[in-house]
């Protein structure tokens, strides 16, 4: 038998990912998306596979190269999904028994999301709509064979978004589609975007959320809240049922059709506010907050380099009395069942893992997609009556059979002020007892996110390269209650920095195989900010890698797609009133104190933490004669590490390992 080998960056090319499980209400068959790196390694391929309910073999169900978002019709007779057509996603449908798929939308700018009507006869889809003036200009451009470059006139503050780029002057609106006639009817219009949307149980109404101009906020781009509107489809009359005080995420009609359920925040702690379950009558009025004393974040907040974006909207029980939701707690993402009268809550699927999506079967059993510390993710089933759990897929079985991985161990320590902090530590792969090894501290982004019981390719690579890896959830992150997540606001580089340094002290005192003279640190986004902050405040690390980072809050305010709101919420200031405060919290202010060799990784199309942040830090360090490099990734946005071009993801991983190897003796 051949000995197992260590994991490599190039193993990314052989990895497979499963997501978006949906269960047929008629047959119980499970459709899901299977994603892999394309043969040319220039992107990804995704198609839909089917797990028959009778235990038959897992089989390919669609043959497209970019098929996503499967959804069974409520009667179970058809499966709808998104397929790219001329680089625009359109809705396609195929019979539940298989056969040829056919497109049922031909919208000019494609479809971003859709939902079946309760009677399986119609589709509610969201698509972009071009403004009248812009549409006229676009038509004129088409007639020009020798089109000259044109200026872009920008009038709104929210004119760019990471991943989407510069605003294309389009708005997201709802259409009603009749698949049998491939006819479309636009339902919403105006200078706003529709976010979440839902059908009423009887199909007579729809609800949707958006952010409109108000007397208090004549510019809706500056609103942090939004509202829910209900449209009666018989006459297209619209009623606003919320009062503008909530930041609303997912919405859904309750099964009795009397309320709209919202996962929403009142922003009492700014962007760090925990989401709660709100019920609001269709007639409007004050919303009822369920489980208001529950100090747990609802939804999925775990970070991973295996996926970007995760989570499942609310799903209701058969009897309509409960709702199933994800919740993030103590490093795990679980599924809970919440009684709609507020009387009872219970964890249904839990454990040391990241449940990143789920679906309900006709019998109200659960099919869920989950990753753990040693697996990137697979499908599982949970039977409610027997409490039995069964694994349904093993998509990386062949690759994983070749690899030796390091198993993370969980620890908890108390800070100097008595606060409990959870963390994980990984020994180098093939660790020899009695050896002294170097170690790398990893810091998550957000900061309103959390490390969890999930697989991290980057961490395993460092362990394979001979480093211990440790990572924690210091104050400022989710998973540990409202006080924990709110602490960092207005104090970046304060208590969060102290938590991390005390974590280093704890690890060195507890795990004596780590050599304190051979330490590295890295992190991305907020973790990149904190990496920059750390090396400007201590020389205890021998090397550092900062990824998609922030170094200057003054310039960040105006160049990030969220800078004008995020900076005020998190740092509590703006450049014209609080210049000194913003500079005090900027790592660039301490650049003369940076002696640690620092590698700077940044995507050129990152609009969340724009590349000028990395450039400023690099130029300053070079001018000061410090050891540094800047690696620019063309075309890459803020999600490079999770869903970027696979070739660049591999390059990025190789550079991280290389830098530590060059500067920390193994």
């Amino acid at each position: 038998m051949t000995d197992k080998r260590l994991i490599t960056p190039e193993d990314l090319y052989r990895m497979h990912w499963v997501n978006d499980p949906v269960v047929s209400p008629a047959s119980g068959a499970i459709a899901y998306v299977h994603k892999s790196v394309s043969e040319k390694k220039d992107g990804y391929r995704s198609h839909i596979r089917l797990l028959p309910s009778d235990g038959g073999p897992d089989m390919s169900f669609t043959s497209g190269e970019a098929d996503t978002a499967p959804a069974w019709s409520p009667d179970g007779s058809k499966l709808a999904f998104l397929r790219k057509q001329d680089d625009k996603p359109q809705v396609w449908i195929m019979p539940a028994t298989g056969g040829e798929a056919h497109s049922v939308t031909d919208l000019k700018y494609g479809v971003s999301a859709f939902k079946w009507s309760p009677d399986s006869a119609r589709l509610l889809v969201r698509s972009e709509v071009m403004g009248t003036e812009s549409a006229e200009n676009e038509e004129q451009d088409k007639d020009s064979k020798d089109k000259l470059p044109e200026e872009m006139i920008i009038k709104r503050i929210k004119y760019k978004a990471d991943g989407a780029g510069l605003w294309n002057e389009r708005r997201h609106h709802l259409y009603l589609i009749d698949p049998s006639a491939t006819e479309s009817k636009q339902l919403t219009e105006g200078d706003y975007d529709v976010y979440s949307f839902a059908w009423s149980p009887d199909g007579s109404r729809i609800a949707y959320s958006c952010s409109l101009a108000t007397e208090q906020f004549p510019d809706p781009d500056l609103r942090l809240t939004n509202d829910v509107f209900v449209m009666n489809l018989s006459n297209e009359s619209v009623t606003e049922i919320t009062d503008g005080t909530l930041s609303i995420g997912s919405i859904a009609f309750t099964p009795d059709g009397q309320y709209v359920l919202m996962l929403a925040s009142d922003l009492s702690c700014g962007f760090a506010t925990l989401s709660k379950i709100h019920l609001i009558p269709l007639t409007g009025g004050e919303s009822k907050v369920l489980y208001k004393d529950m100090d747990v974040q609802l939804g999925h907040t775990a970070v991973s380099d295996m996926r970007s974006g995760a989570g499942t909207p609310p799903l209701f029980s058969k009897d309509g009395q409960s709702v199933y939701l994800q919740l993030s707690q103590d490093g795990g993402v679980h599924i809970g069942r919440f009684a709609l009268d507020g009387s009872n809550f219970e964890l249904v699927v839990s454990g040391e893992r990241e449940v990143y999506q789920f679906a309900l079967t006709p019998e109200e059993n659960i099919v869920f997609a989950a990753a753990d510390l040693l697996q990137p993710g697979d499908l599982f089933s949970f039977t409610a009556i027997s409490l039995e759990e069964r694994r349904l897929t093993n998509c990386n079985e062949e690759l994983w059979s070749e690899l030796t991985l390091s198993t993370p161990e969980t620890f908890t320590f108390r800070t100097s002020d008595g606060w409990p902090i959870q963390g994980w530590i990984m020994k180098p792969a093939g660790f020899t007892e009695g050896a002294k090894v170097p170690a790398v501290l990893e810091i998550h982004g957000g900061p309103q996110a959390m490390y969890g019981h999930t697989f991290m390719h980057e961490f395993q690579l460092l362990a394979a390269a001979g480093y211990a890896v440790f990572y924690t959830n210091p104050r400022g992150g989710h998973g540990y209650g409202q006080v924990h997540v709110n602490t960092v606001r207005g104090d970046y580089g304060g208590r969060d920095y102290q938590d991390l340094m005390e974590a280093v002290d704890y690890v060195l005192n507890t795990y004596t195989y780590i050599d304190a003279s051979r330490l590295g640190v890295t992190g991305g986004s907020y973790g990149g900010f904190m990496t920059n902050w750390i090396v400007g405040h201590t020389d205890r690390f021998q090397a550092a890698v900062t990824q998609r980072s922030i170094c200057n809050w003054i310039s960040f305010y105006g160049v990030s797609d969220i800078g004008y709101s995020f900076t005020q919420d998190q740092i509590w200031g703006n450049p014209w009133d609080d210049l000194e405060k913003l500079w005090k919290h900027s790592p660039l202010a301490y650049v003369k104190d940076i002696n640690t060799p620092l590698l700077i990784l940044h995507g050129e199309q990152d609009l969340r933490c724009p590349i000028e942040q990395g450039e400023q830090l690099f130029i300053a360090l070079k001018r000061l004669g410090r050891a540094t490099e800047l690696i620019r990734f063309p075309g890459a946005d803020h999600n490079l590490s999770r869903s970027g071009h696979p070739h660049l993801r591999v390059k990025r991983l190789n550079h991280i390992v290389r830098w530590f190897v060059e500067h920390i003796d193994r």
Side-chain angles (χ1 to χ4, degrees):
M1 181 176 177
T2 305
D3 290 338
K4 291 190 175 184
R5 61 175 176 83
L6 299 176
I7 195 169
T8 69
E10 290 73 19
D11 283 325
L12 179 77
Y13 296 139
R14 295 179 56 195
M15 290 184 187
H16 300 268
W17 300 272
V18 299
N19 55 68
D20 292 335
V22 289
V23 183
S24 167
S27 68
I30 303 164
Y32 69 93
V33 175
H34 177 275
K35 177 182 172 183
S36 58
V37 175
S38 61
E39 291 183 6
K40 294 182 180 179
K41 302 181 176 64
D42 59 353
Y44 302 91
R45 179 182 184 270
S46 61
H47 68 284
I48 297 168
R49 299 187 65 84
L50 195 69
L51 282 167
S53 60
D54 60 6
D58 186 342
M59 60 184 180
S60 185
F61 198 56
T62 68
S63 57
E65 292 293 313
D67 295 346
T68 59
W72 293 102
S73 59
D75 63 9
S77 65
K78 300 176 285 290
L79 182 78
F81 58 94
L82 294 181
R83 170 176 288 177
K84 279 196 175 180
Q85 182 176 315
D86 297 328
D87 208 36
K88 296 288 189 298
Q90 302 288 354
V91 180
W92 288 58
I93 290 179
M94 68 184 302
T97 53
E100 292 294 326
H102 64 281
S103 61
V104 296
T105 64
D106 188 24
L107 294 169
K108 185 174 183 178
Y109 302 112
V111 174
S112 57
F114 70 93
K115 291 187 179 180
W116 282 102
S117 63
D119 62 1
S120 303
R122 296 166 294 171
L123 292 166
L124 187 61
V125 309
R126 187 180 62 204
S127 179
E128 290 183 329
V129 177
M130 184 66 83
T132 304
E133 181 179 346
S134 301
E136 291 175 355
N137 292 336
E138 188 177 57
E139 290 303 317
Q140 291 173 7
D141 290 344
K142 279 186 176 180
D143 297 334
S144 176
K145 295 181 181 179
D146 300 309
K147 182 178 177 294
L148 295 173
E150 297 291 343
E151 77 277 20
M152 174 178 282
I153 301 173
I154 296 171
K155 297 181 179 180
R156 60 179 300 203
I157 193 170
K158 192 180 290 186
Y159 74 91
K160 60 182 178 180
D162 187 66
L166 298 180
W167 185 45
N168 54 21
E169 299 188 61
R170 303 172 198 158
R171 293 294 193 171
H172 291 85
H173 282 291
L174 297 177
Y175 287 79
L176 193 62
I177 304 291
D178 179 354
S180 63
T182 62
E183 294 178 349
S184 63
K185 177 182 181 181
Q186 187 174 337
L187 295 178
T188 62
E189 61 180 356
D191 195 21
Y192 62 89
D193 293 294
V194 170
Y195 305 130
S196 297
F197 57 95
W199 284 93
S200 67
D202 64 1
S204 66
R205 289 164 291 186
I206 61 168
Y208 58 91
S209 64
C210 63
S211 185
L212 302 181
T214 64
E215 184 176 344
Q216 182 181 2
F217 293 102
D219 183 350
D221 282 351
L222 296 178
R223 279 188 66 182
L224 301 180
T225 61
N226 52 337
D227 286 296
V228 173
F229 298 80
V230 175
M231 176 185 290
N232 187 322
L233 293 178
S234 63
N235 57 16
E236 298 184 22
S237 61
V238 176
T239 304
E240 181 179 352
I241 64 172
T242 51
D243 62 4
T245 61
L246 297 173
S247 175
I248 303 164
S250 295
I251 64 172
F253 281 87
T254 55
D256 62 10
Q258 299 302 305
Y259 297 86
V260 171
L261 180 147
M262 308 177 293
L263 297 186
S265 155
D266 63 8
L267 296 177
S268 56
C269 294
F271 294 156
T273 311
L274 301 187
S275 297
K276 300 292 183 183
I277 303 171
H278 292 249
L279 288 178
I280 188 165
L282 292 193
T283 53
E286 187 175 353
S287 66
K288 178 182 179 182
V289 185
L290 305 183
Y291 308 95
K292 63 173 59 178
D293 296 327
M294 180 176 286
D295 198 21
V296 175
Q297 172 64 0
L298 299 179
H300 178 285
T301 64
V303 296
S304 168
D305 58 5
M306 290 289 97
R307 70 196 111 262
S308 65
T312 296
L315 298 178
F316 294 96
S317 60
K318 288 173 62 178
D319 62 10
Q321 302 302 304
S322 301
V323 63
Y324 290 83
L325 298 168
Q326 288 163 290
L327 59 149
S328 300
Q329 186 175 31
D330 298 334
V333 182
H334 317 299
I335 302 173
R337 182 169 55 227
F338 299 78
L340 291 177
D341 63 4
S343 63
N344 181 53
F345 154 76
E346 63 175 323
L347 280 180
V348 182
V349 175
S350 58
E352 294 188 345
R353 56 187 168 188
E354 173 210 1
V355 177
Y356 54 92
Q357 287 169 325
F358 72 98
L360 297 179
T361 72
E363 301 78 26
E364 208 173 316
N365 298 318
I366 298 176
V367 173
F368 61 95
D372 61 32
L373 292 166
L374 296 177
Q375 294 285 344
D378 272 299
L379 295 183
F380 300 81
S381 66
F382 172 78
T383 304
I385 296 177
S386 64
L387 304 182
E388 291 181 347
E389 191 174 300
R390 184 165 62 95
R391 185 174 190 158
L392 301 177
T393 65
N394 193 354
C395 65
N396 288 295
E397 182 177 16
E398 181 180 355
L399 174 59
W400 251 240
S401 68
E402 303 173 12
L403 303 178
T404 294
L405 300 175
S406 175
T407 302
E409 306 169 34
T410 306
F411 63 81
T412 300
F413 75 96
R414 289 197 174 269
T415 60
S416 56
D417 62 350
W419 197 267
I421 300 292
Q422 184 184 29
W424 293 260
I425 187 164
M426 301 165 61
K427 293 178 179 177
F431 173 73
T432 301
E433 291 296 335
K436 279 281 194 178
V437 301
V440 175
L441 167 65
E442 291 268 3
I443 307 170
H444 70 64
Q448 285 87 43
M450 72 174 186
Y451 277 138
H453 302 290
T454 194
F455 179 82
M456 298 290 286
H457 191 189
E458 178 181 323
F459 298 4
Q460 290 291 344
L461 285 173
L462 289 169
Y467 299 92
V469 180
F470 62 103
Y471 48 106
T472 68
N473 283 320
R475 271 166 278 195
H478 273 310
Y480 306 89
Q482 184 63 83
V483 174
H484 186 100
V485 71
N486 193 47
T487 302
V488 74
R489 294 174 66 236
D491 190 38
Y492 274 49
R495 187 65 246 189
D496 48 356
Y497 169 69
Q498 193 172 343
D499 281 357
L500 288 165
M501 293 304 97
E502 292 180 10
V504 175
D505 294 336
Y506 171 82
V507 165
L508 292 176
N509 291 330
T510 306
Y511 303 96
T512 55
Y513 56 83
I514 293 178
D515 185 346
S517 68
R518 293 185 289 160
L519 297 179
V521 60
T522 185
S525 196
Y526 164 80
F529 158 84
M530 185 52 67
T531 298
N532 298 339
W533 185 269
I534 285 172
V535 295
H537 287 78
T538 179
D539 291 333
R540 73 189 303 180
F541 297 91
Q542 282 63 59
V545 180
T546 184
Q547 308 174 48
R548 58 191 187 280
S549 71
I550 298 168
C551 77
N552 184 349
W553 289 109
I554 297 170
S555 63
F556 179 84
Y557 189 98
V559 297
S560 167
D561 65 342
I562 60 170
Y564 54 88
S565 57
F566 188 83
T567 308
Q568 295 202 174
D569 183 80
Q570 298 289 298
I571 310 299
W572 295 352
N574 62 58
W576 49 92
D577 291 326
D578 309 285
L579 193 68
E580 185 177 341
K581 181 178 180 61
L582 266 57
W583 188 241
K584 173 186 173 183
H585 288 280
S586 296
L588 191 63
Y590 310 94
V591 69
K592 289 195 295 185
D593 298 320
I594 296 178
N595 300 302
T596 306
L598 181 63
L599 175 65
I600 303 167
L601 305 180
H602 226 113
E604 292 185 348
Q605 296 304 313
D606 189 336
L607 299 182
R608 184 60 40 85
C609 297
I611 194 170
E612 61 89 27
Q613 293 284 309
E615 290 173 325
Q616 289 187 64
L617 187 56
F618 173 71
I619 293 300
L621 288 171
K622 289 298 290 184
R623 187 68 180 82
L624 292 167
R626 306 298 156 76
T628 186
E629 287 182 16
L630 170 63
I631 309 292
R632 302 170 64 105
F633 296 97
D637 61 26
H638 201 62
N639 282 310
L640 167 64
S641 64
R642 301 176 280 258
S643 59
H645 193 294
H647 175 69
L648 294 181
R649 288 176 69 181
V650 168
K651 288 283 190 181
R652 167 189 165 272
L653 292 168
N654 273 311
H655 281 300
I656 293 171
V657 174
R658 170 186 65 84
W659 190 258
F660 286 126
V661 169
E662 288 178 356
H663 295 280
I664 303 177
D665 180 17
R666 290 178 293 173

